[in-house]
Amino acid sequence: MKGNHQQSSVLTALSNEHLVPFENVDELFNDFSGKNKPFIRYLVDDKKLDGKKIAAILSHRFGYPYIQLENFDTTLVPEGVRNEKLIHKHNALPLFLRGKVLFVAMSDPTNLDALEEIQFNTGYSTELILTDEPGLQACIEKVLEDESDALNITDIDSDELSGLEVQEDNNDEPVSTGEDDAPIVVFINKILLDAIKKGASDLHFEPYEKSFRIRFRIDGILTEIARPPVSLSSRMSARLKVMSKLDIAERRVPQDGRIKPALSKKKSIDFRVSTLPTMWGEKIVMRILDSSSAMLGIDMLGYEAEQKQIYMEALDQPQGMILVTGPTGSGKTVSLYTGLNILNTEERNISTAEDPVEINLEGINQVQINNRAGLTFPSALRSFLRQDPDIVMVGEIRDLETAEIAIKAAQTGHLVLSTLHTNSAAETLTRLLNMGVPSYNVASSVTIIIAQRLARRLCPHCKTPEELSELLLAEQGFPADKLSEIKLFKPVGCGQCTGGYKGRVGIYEVIKISPEIASIIMEGGNSLDIAKQCQKEGYNNLRQSGLKKAMSGMTSLAEINRVTSA
């Protein structure tokens, strides 16, 4: 009976959108009863209905995000959840992990049993992403073809760790540090794999006079995970520098490199490595460059519906400038890469100037800035404009020269995306003015500004209600007319999270430059004047957006206070 109800719900949704005439519903329903295939596949295969139209309608009807899998990188599918039996049984494909949440692609949004069984078998919470049936089948076939080559990193033990290979950019053979350093090799490899499994963004190796510690940055917070003997610090530094192809004899100046450990024949992860001479040795920081973050899709980033609409409309414009602002580690790069992936089609020529290039994007011409060689942001931009570009991304606007060229590009038929380091959207506009950019250029070229922060998500397994007085809620800035309805939660901590939090969510202030805001810019108004006008036009600032996330139970008030000003 449950199956009949699910099929009826799908047919009702398709009938309401006139994809299936009402008079044909019973005929379709009866005909399917004799078919040995999933219902959506039956509709596509036997009745020649368009799979993408079905997916778009069901996404709107049931409220799930819809993505197309044609260009999805199947190496991002976690190897530990590739259960062929479950995939075929439910016509459902796990796509990627975000913290402890496993996102599962399905063409049928009514098959919630699939999510429950996948959750039970994997131990991860599951969330559904809708996709079209033909794209789903092609992606499933590709993933299962790769399964025989995949290496499940959760099954690696200490004996296997010493065999982890490092793929160098120049395809040289992996370098050995000798038999005496075999324990160091094993330990370093285990640390790298632990960081990947725990979802760390950075690793810190820190030598001191009497101690040596290793910390991971998980969900934006540094956590100590090991204290090896201080006598091993120099050998660990040497091993990491060998893996990064750095000069192990040079300990007086900073160096930068990359490591690319191969987790399987088809999958590897990049680490960006930075060394810094300190009083007691070299501190080494490694940034994990997670390509899956660039493939999440805009629905996964945490934009409110109206904020997403403004961003999508700006991306659809043939020219103008989209600016993303926020401190280091606030997710600016992911927002930009998400936009670039949306724009990345065969018809467009896209070039980026980045320092450094963090994630390789197929189909986009990415340029690594090299100031020593004279390849600066301004010189790269000038070259772009001679290369017939449609879209240009500048990693960061740092000076007047870069700003002027970027604005010129935005005014001459190009869409420009870039970042600045300011605290709010309003301050971004005044920052450009303070650089020396004429006010009429700012007002006429900037389309939207996105200010953002990353807040830690509460663990769904252990979060608990938090009781606060209405007076305190009002002082924190919650809407006065909703104080009696507000339900907040706080972290507790359990075996499935870190201190009560797991994963992060974006908090955004998205401002479209209206004629009124442009007028304030032209008249020399300051950031306070611009911020007042933004409020008048109904745009939520970062604080207000954060409080909405807290009211939804996604994060805590304490976390919002940490990442935004009260």
Side-chain angles (χ1 to χ4, degrees), residues 344-386:
N344 188 12
T345 63
E346 182 182 349
E347 297 81 17
R348 296 187 177 104
N349 176 23
I350 305 176
S351 295
T352 73
E354 305 173 63
D355 185 18
V357 174
E358 294 197 2
I359 297 172
N360 295 326
L361 300 175
E362 183 71 23
I364 293 177
N365 309 293
Q366 296 174 274
V367 174
Q368 169 73 54
I369 295 302
N370 187 340
N371 289 309
R372 291 182 180 177
L375 182 54
T376 62
F377 279 117
S379 65
L381 279 174
R382 290 192 190 95
S383 295
F384 289 170
L385 297 179
R386 296 191 291 269

CSV table of all heavy atoms in Angstrom, one decimal, residues 344-386:
chain,number,residue,atom,x,y,z
A,344,ASN,N,29.8,27.6,-15.7
A,344,ASN,CA,30.8,26.8,-16.5
A,344,ASN,C,30.1,26.0,-17.6
A,344,ASN,O,29.8,24.8,-17.4
A,344,ASN,CB,31.7,25.9,-15.6
A,344,ASN,CG,32.8,25.3,-16.3
A,344,ASN,OD1,33.1,25.6,-17.5
A,344,ASN,ND2,33.4,24.3,-15.7
A,345,THR,N,29.8,26.6,-18.7
A,345,THR,CA,29.2,25.8,-19.9
A,345,THR,C,30.1,26.0,-21.1
A,345,THR,O,31.0,26.8,-21.1
A,345,THR,CB,27.8,26.4,-20.2
A,345,THR,OG1,28.0,27.8,-20.6
A,345,THR,CG2,26.9,26.3,-19.0
A,346,GLU,N,29.8,25.2,-22.1
A,346,GLU,CA,30.6,25.2,-23.3
A,346,GLU,C,30.6,26.5,-24.0
A,346,GLU,O,31.6,26.9,-24.7
A,346,GLU,CB,30.0,24.1,-24.2
A,346,GLU,CG,30.8,23.9,-25.6
A,346,GLU,CD,30.1,22.9,-26.5
A,346,GLU,OE1,29.2,22.1,-26.0
A,346,GLU,OE2,30.5,22.8,-27.6
A,347,GLU,N,29.5,27.3,-23.8
A,347,GLU,CA,29.4,28.6,-24.6
A,347,GLU,C,30.2,29.7,-23.9
A,347,GLU,O,30.3,30.8,-24.5
A,347,GLU,CB,27.9,29.0,-24.6
A,347,GLU,CG,27.0,28.0,-25.4
A,347,GLU,CD,26.6,26.8,-24.5
A,347,GLU,OE1,26.7,26.9,-23.3
A,347,GLU,OE2,26.1,25.8,-25.1
A,348,ARG,N,30.8,29.5,-22.8
A,348,ARG,CA,31.4,30.6,-22.1
A,348,ARG,C,32.9,30.4,-21.9
A,348,ARG,O,33.4,29.3,-21.7
A,348,ARG,CB,30.8,30.8,-20.7
A,348,ARG,CG,29.3,31.2,-20.7
A,348,ARG,CD,28.9,31.5,-19.2
A,348,ARG,NE,27.5,32.0,-19.2
A,348,ARG,CZ,26.5,31.3,-18.8
A,348,ARG,NH1,26.7,30.0,-18.4
A,348,ARG,NH2,25.3,31.8,-18.8
A,349,ASN,N,33.7,31.5,-22.0
A,349,ASN,CA,35.1,31.5,-21.8
A,349,ASN,C,35.3,32.1,-20.4
A,349,ASN,O,35.1,33.3,-20.2
A,349,ASN,CB,35.8,32.3,-22.9
A,349,ASN,CG,37.3,32.4,-22.6
A,349,ASN,OD1,37.9,31.5,-21.9
A,349,ASN,ND2,38.0,33.4,-23.1
A,350,ILE,N,35.8,31.3,-19.5
A,350,ILE,CA,36.0,31.7,-18.1
A,350,ILE,C,37.5,31.7,-17.7
A,350,ILE,O,38.1,30.6,-17.9
A,350,ILE,CB,35.2,30.9,-17.1
A,350,ILE,CG1,33.7,30.8,-17.5
A,350,ILE,CG2,35.3,31.4,-15.7
A,350,ILE,CD1,32.9,29.9,-16.6
A,351,SER,N,38.0,32.8,-17.2
A,351,SER,CA,39.4,32.8,-16.7
A,351,SER,C,39.4,33.3,-15.3
A,351,SER,O,38.7,34.2,-14.9
A,351,SER,CB,40.2,33.7,-17.6
A,351,SER,OG,40.3,33.2,-18.9
A,352,THR,N,40.3,32.7,-14.5
A,352,THR,CA,40.5,33.2,-13.1
A,352,THR,C,41.9,33.5,-12.8
A,352,THR,O,42.8,32.8,-13.3
A,352,THR,CB,40.0,32.1,-12.1
A,352,THR,OG1,41.0,31.0,-12.1
A,352,THR,CG2,38.6,31.5,-12.5
A,353,ALA,N,42.2,34.5,-12.0
A,353,ALA,CA,43.5,34.8,-11.4
A,353,ALA,C,43.4,34.6,-9.9
A,353,ALA,O,42.7,35.2,-9.2
A,353,ALA,CB,43.9,36.2,-11.8
A,354,GLU,N,44.2,33.6,-9.4
A,354,GLU,CA,44.1,33.2,-8.0
A,354,GLU,C,45.5,33.2,-7.4
A,354,GLU,O,46.5,32.9,-8.0
A,354,GLU,CB,43.4,31.9,-7.9
A,354,GLU,CG,42.1,31.8,-8.6
A,354,GLU,CD,41.5,30.4,-8.6
A,354,GLU,OE1,41.2,29.9,-7.5
A,354,GLU,OE2,41.3,29.9,-9.7
A,355,ASP,N,45.5,33.4,-6.1
A,355,ASP,CA,46.8,33.4,-5.3
A,355,ASP,C,46.5,32.8,-3.9
A,355,ASP,O,46.2,33.5,-3.0
A,355,ASP,CB,47.4,34.7,-5.2
A,355,ASP,CG,48.8,34.7,-4.5
A,355,ASP,OD1,49.4,33.6,-4.5
A,355,ASP,OD2,49.2,35.7,-4.0
A,356,PRO,N,46.6,31.4,-3.8
A,356,PRO,CA,46.9,30.4,-4.8
A,356,PRO,C,45.7,29.8,-5.5
A,356,PRO,O,44.6,30.1,-5.0
A,356,PRO,CB,47.7,29.4,-4.0
A,356,PRO,CG,46.9,29.4,-2.7
A,356,PRO,CD,46.5,30.8,-2.5
A,357,VAL,N,45.9,29.0,-6.5
A,357,VAL,CA,44.8,28.2,-7.1
A,357,VAL,C,44.6,27.1,-6.1
A,357,VAL,O,45.4,26.2,-5.9
A,357,VAL,CB,45.1,27.7,-8.5
A,357,VAL,CG1,44.1,26.7,-8.9
A,357,VAL,CG2,45.3,28.8,-9.5
A,358,GLU,N,43.4,27.0,-5.5
A,358,GLU,CA,43.1,26.0,-4.4
A,358,GLU,C,42.6,24.8,-5.0
A,358,GLU,O,42.9,23.7,-4.6
A,358,GLU,CB,42.2,26.6,-3.4
A,358,GLU,CG,42.8,27.8,-2.6
A,358,GLU,CD,42.1,28.1,-1.3
A,358,GLU,OE1,41.1,27.4,-1.0
A,358,GLU,OE2,42.5,29.0,-0.6
A,359,ILE,N,41.6,24.9,-5.9
A,359,ILE,CA,40.9,23.7,-6.4
A,359,ILE,C,40.9,23.8,-8.0
A,359,ILE,O,40.5,24.8,-8.5
A,359,ILE,CB,39.5,23.6,-5.9
A,359,ILE,CG1,39.5,23.4,-4.3
A,359,ILE,CG2,38.8,22.4,-6.5
A,359,ILE,CD1,38.2,23.5,-3.7
A,360,ASN,N,41.3,22.7,-8.6
A,360,ASN,CA,41.3,22.7,-10.1
A,360,ASN,C,39.9,22.5,-10.6
A,360,ASN,O,39.2,21.6,-10.1
A,360,ASN,CB,42.2,21.6,-10.6
A,360,ASN,CG,43.6,21.8,-10.3
A,360,ASN,OD1,44.1,22.9,-10.2
A,360,ASN,ND2,44.4,20.7,-10.0
A,361,LEU,N,39.4,23.3,-11.5
A,361,LEU,CA,38.1,23.3,-12.1
A,361,LEU,C,38.2,23.0,-13.6
A,361,LEU,O,38.7,23.8,-14.3
A,361,LEU,CB,37.3,24.6,-11.8
A,361,LEU,CG,37.1,25.0,-10.4
A,361,LEU,CD1,36.5,26.4,-10.3
A,361,LEU,CD2,36.3,24.0,-9.6
A,362,GLU,N,37.7,21.8,-14.0
A,362,GLU,CA,37.7,21.4,-15.4
A,362,GLU,C,36.9,22.4,-16.2
A,362,GLU,O,35.8,22.8,-15.9
A,362,GLU,CB,37.2,20.0,-15.5
A,362,GLU,CG,37.2,19.5,-16.9
A,362,GLU,CD,38.6,19.1,-17.4
A,362,GLU,OE1,39.5,18.9,-16.5
A,362,GLU,OE2,38.9,19.1,-18.6
A,363,GLY,N,37.5,22.9,-17.3
A,363,GLY,CA,36.8,23.8,-18.2
A,363,GLY,C,37.0,25.2,-17.9
A,363,GLY,O,36.4,26.1,-18.6
A,364,ILE,N,37.7,25.6,-16.9
A,364,ILE,CA,38.0,26.9,-16.5
A,364,ILE,C,39.5,27.2,-16.5
A,364,ILE,O,40.3,26.4,-16.1
A,364,ILE,CB,37.4,27.2,-15.1
A,364,ILE,CG1,35.9,27.2,-15.1
A,364,ILE,CG2,37.9,28.6,-14.6
A,364,ILE,CD1,35.2,27.4,-13.8
A,365,ASN,N,39.9,28.3,-17.1
A,365,ASN,CA,41.3,28.6,-17.3
A,365,ASN,C,41.8,29.3,-16.0
A,365,ASN,O,41.5,30.5,-15.8
A,365,ASN,CB,41.5,29.6,-18.5
A,365,ASN,CG,40.8,29.0,-19.8
A,365,ASN,OD1,41.2,28.0,-20.3
A,365,ASN,ND2,39.8,29.7,-20.2
A,366,GLN,N,42.5,28.6,-15.2
A,366,GLN,CA,42.9,29.1,-13.9
A,366,GLN,C,44.4,29.5,-14.0
A,366,GLN,O,45.3,28.7,-14.4
A,366,GLN,CB,42.7,28.1,-12.8
A,366,GLN,CG,41.3,27.7,-12.6
A,366,GLN,CD,41.0,26.6,-11.6
A,366,GLN,OE1,41.1,25.4,-12.0
A,366,GLN,NE2,40.9,26.9,-10.4
A,367,VAL,N,44.7,30.7,-13.5
A,367,VAL,CA,46.1,31.3,-13.6
A,367,VAL,C,46.6,31.5,-12.1
A,367,VAL,O,45.9,32.1,-11.3
A,367,VAL,CB,46.1,32.6,-14.3
A,367,VAL,CG1,47.5,33.3,-14.2
A,367,VAL,CG2,45.7,32.4,-15.8
A,368,GLN,N,47.7,30.9,-11.8
A,368,GLN,CA,48.4,31.0,-10.5
A,368,GLN,C,49.2,32.3,-10.5
A,368,GLN,O,50.1,32.5,-11.3
A,368,GLN,CB,49.3,29.8,-10.3
A,368,GLN,CG,50.2,30.0,-9.1
A,368,GLN,CD,49.4,29.9,-7.8
A,368,GLN,OE1,48.7,28.9,-7.5
A,368,GLN,NE2,49.6,30.9,-6.9
A,369,ILE,N,48.9,33.2,-9.6
A,369,ILE,CA,49.7,34.5,-9.6
A,369,ILE,C,51.1,34.2,-9.1
A,369,ILE,O,51.3,33.4,-8.1
A,369,ILE,CB,49.0,35.5,-8.6
A,369,ILE,CG1,47.6,35.9,-9.2
A,369,ILE,CG2,49.8,36.7,-8.3
A,369,ILE,CD1,47.7,36.5,-10.5
A,370,ASN,N,52.1,34.8,-9.7
A,370,ASN,CA,53.5,34.6,-9.3
A,370,ASN,C,54.1,36.0,-9.4
A,370,ASN,O,54.6,36.5,-10.4
A,370,ASN,CB,54.2,33.7,-10.3
A,370,ASN,CG,55.6,33.3,-9.9
A,370,ASN,OD1,56.2,34.0,-9.1
A,370,ASN,ND2,56.1,32.2,-10.4
A,371,ASN,N,54.1,36.7,-8.2
A,371,ASN,CA,54.6,38.1,-8.2
A,371,ASN,C,56.1,38.1,-8.5
A,371,ASN,O,56.5,39.1,-9.1
A,371,ASN,CB,54.4,38.7,-6.8
A,371,ASN,CG,52.9,38.9,-6.6
A,371,ASN,OD1,52.2,39.6,-7.4
A,371,ASN,ND2,52.4,38.4,-5.4
A,372,ARG,N,56.9,37.1,-8.1
A,372,ARG,CA,58.3,37.2,-8.4
A,372,ARG,C,58.6,37.1,-9.9
A,372,ARG,O,59.6,37.7,-10.4
A,372,ARG,CB,59.0,36.0,-7.7
A,372,ARG,CG,59.0,36.1,-6.2
A,372,ARG,CD,59.8,34.9,-5.6
A,372,ARG,NE,59.8,34.9,-4.2
A,372,ARG,CZ,60.4,34.0,-3.4
A,372,ARG,NH1,60.9,32.9,-4.0
A,372,ARG,NH2,60.4,34.1,-2.1
A,373,ALA,N,57.8,36.4,-10.6
A,373,ALA,CA,58.0,36.3,-12.1
A,373,ALA,C,57.3,37.5,-12.8
A,373,ALA,O,57.3,37.5,-14.0
A,373,ALA,CB,57.5,35.0,-12.6
A,374,GLY,N,56.6,38.4,-12.1
A,374,GLY,CA,55.9,39.5,-12.7
A,374,GLY,C,54.5,39.2,-13.1
A,374,GLY,O,53.8,40.0,-13.7
A,375,LEU,N,54.0,38.0,-12.7
A,375,LEU,CA,52.6,37.6,-13.0
A,375,LEU,C,51.7,38.0,-11.9
A,375,LEU,O,51.5,37.3,-10.9
A,375,LEU,CB,52.4,36.1,-13.3
A,375,LEU,CG,51.0,35.6,-13.7
A,375,LEU,CD1,50.5,36.4,-14.9
A,375,LEU,CD2,51.1,34.1,-14.0
A,376,THR,N,51.3,39.3,-11.9
A,376,THR,CA,50.5,39.9,-10.8
A,376,THR,C,49.0,39.9,-11.2
A,376,THR,O,48.6,39.5,-12.3
A,376,THR,CB,50.9,41.3,-10.6
A,376,THR,OG1,50.7,42.1,-11.7
A,376,THR,CG2,52.4,41.4,-10.2
A,377,PHE,N,48.1,40.2,-10.3
A,377,PHE,CA,46.7,40.3,-10.6
A,377,PHE,C,46.5,41.3,-11.7
A,377,PHE,O,45.7,41.0,-12.7
A,377,PHE,CB,45.9,40.7,-9.3
A,377,PHE,CG,45.6,39.6,-8.4
A,377,PHE,CD1,46.1,39.6,-7.1
A,377,PHE,CD2,44.8,38.5,-8.8
A,377,PHE,CE1,45.8,38.5,-6.2
A,377,PHE,CE2,44.5,37.5,-7.9
A,377,PHE,CZ,45.0,37.5,-6.7
A,378,PRO,N,47.0,42.5,-11.7
A,378,PRO,CA,46.8,43.4,-12.8
A,378,PRO,C,47.3,42.9,-14.2
A,378,PRO,O,46.6,43.0,-15.2
A,378,PRO,CB,47.6,44.7,-12.4
A,378,PRO,CG,47.6,44.6,-10.9
A,378,PRO,CD,47.8,43.2,-10.6
A,379,SER,N,48.5,42.3,-14.2
A,379,SER,CA,49.0,41.8,-15.5
A,379,SER,C,48.2,40.6,-16.0
A,379,SER,O,47.9,40.5,-17.2
A,379,SER,CB,50.5,41.4,-15.3
A,379,SER,OG,50.6,40.3,-14.4
A,380,ALA,N,47.7,39.8,-15.1
A,380,ALA,CA,46.8,38.6,-15.5
A,380,ALA,C,45.5,39.2,-16.1
A,380,ALA,O,45.0,38.7,-17.1
A,380,ALA,CB,46.6,37.7,-14.3
A,381,LEU,N,44.9,40.2,-15.4
A,381,LEU,CA,43.7,40.7,-15.8
A,381,LEU,C,43.8,41.4,-17.2
A,381,LEU,O,42.9,41.2,-18.1
A,381,LEU,CB,43.2,41.8,-14.8
A,381,LEU,CG,42.4,41.2,-13.6
A,381,LEU,CD1,42.1,42.3,-12.6
A,381,LEU,CD2,41.1,40.6,-14.1
A,382,ARG,N,44.9,42.1,-17.4
A,382,ARG,CA,45.1,42.7,-18.8
A,382,ARG,C,45.2,41.6,-19.8
A,382,ARG,O,44.7,41.8,-20.9
A,382,ARG,CB,46.4,43.5,-18.7
A,382,ARG,CG,46.3,44.8,-17.9
A,382,ARG,CD,47.5,45.7,-18.2
A,382,ARG,NE,47.6,46.8,-17.2
A,382,ARG,CZ,48.3,46.8,-16.1
A,382,ARG,NH1,49.0,45.7,-15.8
A,382,ARG,NH2,48.3,47.8,-15.3
A,383,SER,N,45.9,40.5,-19.5
A,383,SER,CA,45.9,39.4,-20.5
A,383,SER,C,44.6,38.8,-20.7
A,383,SER,O,44.2,38.4,-21.9
A,383,SER,CB,46.9,38.3,-20.0
A,383,SER,OG,48.2,38.8,-19.9
A,384,PHE,N,43.8,38.6,-19.7
A,384,PHE,CA,42.4,38.1,-19.8
A,384,PHE,C,41.6,38.8,-20.8
A,384,PHE,O,40.9,38.3,-21.7
A,384,PHE,CB,41.7,38.1,-18.5
A,384,PHE,CG,42.2,37.1,-17.5
A,384,PHE,CD1,41.8,37.1,-16.2
A,384,PHE,CD2,43.1,36.1,-17.8
A,384,PHE,CE1,42.2,36.2,-15.2
A,384,PHE,CE2,43.6,35.2,-16.9
A,384,PHE,CZ,43.2,35.3,-15.6
A,385,LEU,N,41.7,40.2,-20.8
A,385,LEU,CA,40.9,41.0,-21.6
A,385,LEU,C,41.3,40.9,-23.1
A,385,LEU,O,40.6,41.4,-24.0
A,385,LEU,CB,41.0,42.5,-21.1
A,385,LEU,CG,40.4,42.7,-19.7
A,385,LEU,CD1,40.5,44.2,-19.3
A,385,LEU,CD2,38.9,42.2,-19.6
A,386,ARG,N,42.5,40.4,-23.3
A,386,ARG,CA,42.9,40.1,-24.7
A,386,ARG,C,42.6,38.7,-25.2
A,386,ARG,O,43.0,38.3,-26.3
A,386,ARG,CB,44.4,40.4,-24.9
A,386,ARG,CG,44.8,41.9,-24.6
A,386,ARG,CD,46.2,42.2,-25.0
A,386,ARG,NE,47.2,41.5,-24.2
A,386,ARG,CZ,47.7,42.1,-23.1
A,386,ARG,NH1,47.4,43.3,-22.7
A,386,ARG,NH2,48.6,41.4,-22.4
